[in-house]
Amino acid sequence: MEQALLDWFRSVPDDPDEAGDDGLAVDVTPPSLAELAGASPARRERMVGDYLCQEIGRVLNCPAEKVDHDQTMTDLGIGSMIGLELQRRIQEALGTAPTLPAILRAENAHALARHLLGLIGVPTAGALSA
């Protein structure tokens, strides 16, 4: 049986030699707080959900279109190490991030998006109005 060899020197994040032609997101642009504030609650969830799927695709090394929005994070292949990378990327992009347990226990990308919107402090479509 043939084994694949991992080239650790070419697996560095943001390596320019790794970017571009394979369909993977080179730059993931998160929605700005101004965009989120101006959007309807349902649109906010879609915007953050789409952003999360781009980041999930990036950490899993697959195109964002292949990320199933309805699968649990663990079913997608996110474990503790990849979860930490995802958490770091979200923190850098949005200034806040879910805890690692919240990421790993997320029912799906939609639930993680709602949780993240709650951390950011903007209402979601599922939030009760007071």
Side-chain angles (χ1 to χ4, degrees), residues 55-62 66-68 70-86 100 103-109:
E55 286 292 12
I56 290 167
R58 193 166 160 192
V59 297
L60 292 177
N61 201 29
C62 73
K66 300 284 185 186
V67 176
D68 186 345
D70 297 316
Q71 280 192 312
T72 66
M73 297 297 108
T74 54
D75 285 348
L76 287 171
I78 297 190
S80 59
M81 296 303 289
I82 293 175
L84 286 171
E85 177 65 15
L86 180 61
L100 181 60
I103 291 171
L104 297 177
R105 292 179 187 145
E107 184 179 320
N108 53 40

Side-chain angles (χ1 to χ4, degrees), residues 8-78:
W8 288 99
F9 298 104
R10 293 192 39 87
S11 298
V12 177
D14 302 321
D15 185 349
D17 293 335
E18 294 293 312
D21 298 331
D22 55 5
L24 300 178
V26 176
D27 290 319
V28 175
T29 305
S32 70
L33 293 178
E35 290 174 314
L36 291 172
S40 70
R43 176 78 179 122
R44 287 178 192 143
E45 284 186 35
R46 280 193 303 277
M47 291 167 70
V48 173
D50 290 345
Y51 159 70
L52 285 174
C53 285
Q54 289 175 5
E55 286 292 12
I56 290 167
R58 193 166 160 192
V59 297
L60 292 177
N61 201 29
C62 73
E65 308 83 59
K66 300 284 185 186
V67 176
D68 186 345
H69 292 239
D70 297 316
Q71 280 192 312
T72 66
M73 297 297 108
T74 54
D75 285 348
L76 287 171
I78 297 190

Side-chain angles (χ1 to χ4, degrees), residues 1-5:
M1 177 162 65
E2 197 172 314
Q3 287 186 321
L5 294 176

Side-chain angles (χ1 to χ4, degrees), residues 83-95:
L84 286 171
E85 177 65 15
L86 180 61
Q87 181 186 42
R88 182 190 65 80
R89 289 181 184 274
I90 294 169
Q91 178 70 41
E92 285 179 2
L94 299 175

